[in-house]
Amino acid sequence: MPGTVPLPLGLDTAGLQVPWYFRCPISLELMCDPVTVSTGQTYDRDSIESWVATGNTTCPVTRAPLADFTLIPNHTLRRLIQEWCVAHRSLGVERIPTPKHPADLDLIRSLISQGPVLPALRKLRALARESDKNRLVMATHETRAALVDMAFGSAQEVEAEAMAVLAMIGMGEAEAVELVGREERMTRLGKLLGGQGTTLESKVNAGAVVEAATAASGTEARAVLGAADGIMEGLVALVEEKANARAVRVGIRGLFALCLAKENRPRAVAAGAAAALARHVVEGGAAGDPERALASVERLCRTEGGRDAVIAGAGGSAAAVRALVRAMSGRSAEHAAGVLVVVVAGSDALQVEAVRAGAMSHLLLMVQGGCSERAKRKAQHLLKLLRSAWPTDDSIANFHDFN
């Protein structure tokens, strides 16, 4: 029997009679991508996938065990729903789009088997762009290893396309070790990131590959990547690409990953990373992963020459202090406090500037609030450091929790 239900289309269609067999038995909403399970029942793909993902192994309607979890697209029903939508267009109903079905392993293997040819790589790139599910299917050692081979040593256009796909699906440890262990590939990666005549998109994809390789490998591999000519400088240049949010984000994440290795920190300071990241923090670049940016600044400001570079990048000591106090909120608070400790140490004037900028209220909230123990220790250290600059206010002077 037909029923009256609100359509999930963001439309004012109250009172419209929707055939019951067009509705998903789980969500009771109009199906956009109907699929049939092994029991013969049809559901909307998102609903049945969520049902299975939460650990259910039975058919929601029949309660019979699902013999397998294969979802077969019900093209006939989808076409009927689309025709019904078109027929009711005058009532504000929009036609449901034809769904793009997830990639399968056989298709990915078929495309990879074609080798370094542009049409196959462009199809892989399109699939990777479509959904997380596709990227998960593609993230096998077989696919990644093949893409690494194509991304180094192929024609320039093929190389760029393979690098773009690799940037989206990431790398495993085996592929990262293979990449880092070959000097010619490190040289090529450095030239892509820091060389002249490379498009910004290619530089961003190369930066994403650096981050993927560091995430999948250990400290030794990070040191090799950080020492390769052009890589550190190229990542710093991406942070400076203020008009391209993805470039800034990739640059910050790449520098953060490399600076986890202590031996890379002097190299990063020499390449201008401390100044570039401090400049990003002062300018309030919220879209570029501020937590990682500040975490890197904290590491670098404790490296020789790092404190001076951070202050220079921030536009002076006072500007650096004010920006760091502003950053002492949310998940970035711990790292902002850590940098402030280094910046204001030994300077009465900067300690007074920090108090004037409102550091005290932020620090007291950190100590009293739900921060991690490490964050609280940093806040307590900074409170002690700023003691001489405190205003004569009993509510602060009598505060003992920082001890």
Side-chain angles (χ1 to χ4, degrees):
M1 294 180 63
T4 302
V5 295
L7 295 180
L9 303 176
L11 302 169
D12 184 12
T13 53
L16 181 63
Q17 297 295 306
V18 181
W20 64 269
Y21 49 89
F22 285 175
R23 290 181 286 159
C24 174
I26 298 175
S27 66
L28 301 182
E29 295 181 339
L30 188 71
M31 288 186 281
C32 296
D33 187 6
V35 293
T36 302
V37 298
S38 59
T39 60
Q41 294 293 323
T42 298
Y43 304 93
D44 201 28
R45 183 184 292 275
D46 285 346
S47 296
I48 191 62
E49 284 184 343
S50 296
W51 170 266
V52 172
T54 53
N56 296 293
T57 59
T58 59
C59 173
V61 171
T62 67
R63 298 298 177 183
L66 293 170
D68 60 58
F69 299 105
T70 302
L71 304 179
I72 302 173
N74 192 328
H75 299 298
T76 300
L77 181 57
R78 176 174 52 77
R79 282 195 292 269
L80 289 172
I81 293 173
Q82 287 177 326
E83 289 170 3
W84 179 86
C85 290
V86 171
H88 293 84
R89 184 182 298 164
S90 61
L91 297 177
V93 179
E94 295 181 5
R95 181 180 183 274
I96 62 170
T98 300
K100 295 178 178 179
H101 298 301
D104 61 76
L105 200 51
D106 288 339
L107 173 60
I108 302 304
R109 284 172 175 162
S110 172
L111 292 169
I112 285 293
S113 68
Q114 295 179 36
V117 293
L118 279 174
L121 284 167
R122 284 172 178 159
K123 177 63 176 175
L124 286 167
R125 189 177 185 182
L127 288 169
R129 278 175 170 165
E130 280 179 13
S131 67
D132 290 336
K133 293 176 186 176
N134 284 359
R135 290 189 285 276
L136 188 61
V137 171
M138 297 168 72
T140 64
H141 170 64
E142 176 188 8
T143 301
R144 287 164 159 169
L147 287 167
V148 169
D149 287 339
M150 294 181 210
F152 298 93
S154 302
Q156 186 173 352
E157 199 171 359
V158 169
E159 178 185 75
E161 205 69 31
M163 191 80 73
V165 182
L166 198 58
M168 284 188 275
I169 67 171
M171 279 190 281
E173 184 177 0
E175 303 89 61
V177 169
E178 169 65 18
L179 171 62
V180 174
R182 296 178 60 170
E183 185 179 349
E184 72 277 10
R185 290 183 173 179
M186 288 292 90
T187 301
R188 181 58 185 153
L189 198 54
K191 286 182 177 178
L192 282 171
L193 254 173
Q196 300 294 323
T198 307
T199 66
L200 179 58
E201 183 185 13
S202 293
K203 290 179 179 179
V204 172
N205 288 332
V209 168
V210 169
E211 184 201 351
T214 55
S217 56
T219 302
E220 186 177 341
R222 290 191 181 102
V224 173
L225 281 159
D229 288 342
I231 287 183
M232 201 72 78
E233 293 80 3
L235 292 172
V236 171
L238 291 181
V239 175
E240 302 281 22
E241 289 285 349
K242 299 177 179 61
N244 189 310
R246 183 179 174 232
V248 174
R249 185 171 61 254
V250 167
I252 290 173
R253 292 171 71 93
L255 288 171
F256 170 82
L258 290 180
C259 289
L260 290 173
K262 288 184 179 180
E263 51 266 64
N264 280 337
R265 294 171 195 172
R267 299 166 186 161
V269 172
L277 291 169
R279 193 154 41 247
H280 176 77
V281 170
V282 168
E283 293 170 356
D289 204 332
E291 186 180 4
R292 281 187 174 85
L294 269 166
S296 299
V297 170
E298 183 179 9
R299 291 189 178 98
L300 296 177
C301 73
R302 299 177 188 277
T303 303
E304 185 177 355
R307 178 184 181 275
D308 292 341
V310 167
I311 289 172
S317 302
V321 169
R322 290 192 293 270
L324 290 166
V325 171
R326 286 196 302 271
M328 278 201 299
S329 60
R331 296 171 62 181
S332 300
E334 173 192 340
H335 304 301
V339 179
L340 262 177
V341 167
V342 177
V343 171
V344 306
S347 171
D348 293 342
L350 290 181
Q351 290 167 20
V352 170
E353 183 66 38
V355 172
R356 278 184 190 153
M360 304 306 299
S361 58
H362 288 294
L363 292 170
L364 296 178
L365 282 173
M366 288 176 67
V367 172
Q368 295 173 319
C371 294
S372 68
E373 288 303 313
R374 186 174 62 182
K376 286 181 181 179
R377 286 195 298 271
K378 291 178 183 179
Q380 289 164 353
H381 185 182
L382 191 51
L383 277 168
K384 292 177 183 179
L385 195 60
L386 299 179
R387 180 185 296 181
S388 62
W390 286 6
T392 54
D393 184 317
D394 289 342
S395 65
I396 295 178
N398 294 328
F399 187 80
H400 300 298
D401 286 352
F402 70 89
N403 289 316

